[in-house]
Amino acid sequence: MKTIHKYEVPVSKATVEIKMPLHAVIRNVEFITASHSVFIWAEVEAGADFKEGREVRAFRTFCSGDGVPEGSVYVGSTVDQYVPEAYHVYEVTECGDCRL
């Protein structure tokens, strides 16, 4: 059995660190209008240990046309339906503005 967990990746030029269970797989990216923020949903094994078996992963949203750092891994894209803007989420594996 598996479970899904939601994490926020704010619309910002900053990288956000998220502690999530080991081997979590990102399954969805969506812009939530009420929060004016991007969220990702990660799938994990139902028995995942949230206290001991966690890892810190870094994510960042990019707008169309932004430069994406080398080594970043594409996660997904989403659109704000009320303004002409798309947000692209990348997992940042090496960055200058985060602590990994």
Side-chain angles (χ1 to χ4, degrees):
M1 182 181 287
K2 297 179 188 258
T3 60
I4 298 282
H5 300 272
K6 179 173 82 170
Y7 301 95
E8 183 177 10
V9 182
V11 175
S12 167
K13 293 195 179 292
T15 300
V16 61
E17 293 179 338
I18 300 174
K19 288 183 181 179
M20 55 180 54
L22 294 171
H23 312 297
V25 177
I26 308 304
R27 295 295 186 195
N28 191 41
V29 174
E30 190 169 335
F31 180 82
I32 303 296
T33 305
S35 301
H36 193 73
S37 196
V38 174
F39 290 85
I40 59 176
W41 281 260
E43 180 183 78
V44 298
E45 291 298 324
D49 185 347
F50 280 85
K51 293 181 182 176
E52 300 296 325
R54 295 178 110 186
E55 62 185 340
V56 176
R57 294 170 64 177
F59 297 90
R60 182 179 158 199
T61 56
F62 293 88
C63 293
S64 297
D66 286 350
V68 178
E70 291 291 327
S72 299
V73 178
Y74 178 75
V75 174
S77 296
T78 187
V79 175
D80 180 345
Q81 64 184 1
Y82 294 108
V83 296
E85 190 64 72
Y87 303 107
H88 313 283
V89 177
Y90 280 79
E91 184 166 2
V92 182
T93 55
E94 297 179 21
C95 62
D97 63 339
C98 64
R99 301 173 313 273
L100 293 177

